Amino acid sequence: MYTAAAVRKVFFRILTTVLFSAPPLVAAHPSPPTARQQINEQVVHLAGEAIAGLAQRASWHDYRYTLNVLIPGSVAALPACSQPLRLSGEPLQQKNLARQRYRVACGSGASWQVLVTVKADLYLPVAMVAREIARGEAITADKLVMKRYNISNLSGDPLLSVGDAAGRLAKRTLRPGKPLLRKQLQQPLLVKRGAAVTIVSQTDGISAQTAGVALKEGRLQESIKVQNSSSERVIDAIVVGPGRVSVGGGTQ
């Protein structure tokens, strides 16, 4: 198992062996690397680079990870590769952190190839539920706490700060001690079905407003059907605020 931090350093366990009765003044020649060692070294390097790239795309900071490289036992019978190893795998995403596969081939002629599985445990500071939050309850800072958590097996995107949840509501009851995921939150309802709304229109830099009626409830940035009270036309509009919707252009 290998451990790394956000600076992508890999720390190896150092095993010290004391040799008794070794002949003095005789320098031991290091053994050439085996196929297993070659595979392990290259896979750890590639997996580390993949995690660093994923962390950059996802804006992860102060993360730590461990890698468990699972190499088939049949590799013990393979000769060491005298050519550079060729590695290939699917692009790394958070959902496959716990199970990333790499195909490793020896040289361009592929005198041998094996399939290696890497299981990563990635620990990241995330927003955690501090106490039970009821369905529909507003998320506030006092209900959350930042803690480091292994996100490798999460089925959604965790919140990286308490502020990311500001103004959101819980879609369902949230239990304490669990990471808060984006899919568990929703924007508050800004427009109710059947309620009067103000329709804001932008055409050639000119803004106009007219009255309408919402035919569907809506949250911030959701598209809903609205009926213009003057023309009685039904149009698609984007919710932009409490009782306010916007259309890109055209007459209402």
Side-chain angles (χ1 to χ4, degrees), residues 69-83:
V69 182
L70 307 180
I71 301 175
S74 58
V75 168
L78 297 178
C81 186
S82 60
Q83 306 175 59

Side-chain angles (χ1 to χ4, degrees), residues 2-46:
Y2 300 88
T3 305
V7 292
R8 294 179 49 232
K9 290 182 179 179
V10 178
F11 300 90
F12 297 86
R13 179 178 298 174
I14 300 174
L15 186 63
T16 303
T17 304
V18 179
L19 297 178
F20 297 97
S21 69
L25 304 178
V26 175
H29 295 286
S31 300
T34 63
R36 176 179 292 274
Q37 291 170 331
Q38 291 175 325
I39 293 170
N40 189 76
E41 179 182 358
Q42 292 300 311
V43 168
V44 166
H45 177 73
L46 185 60

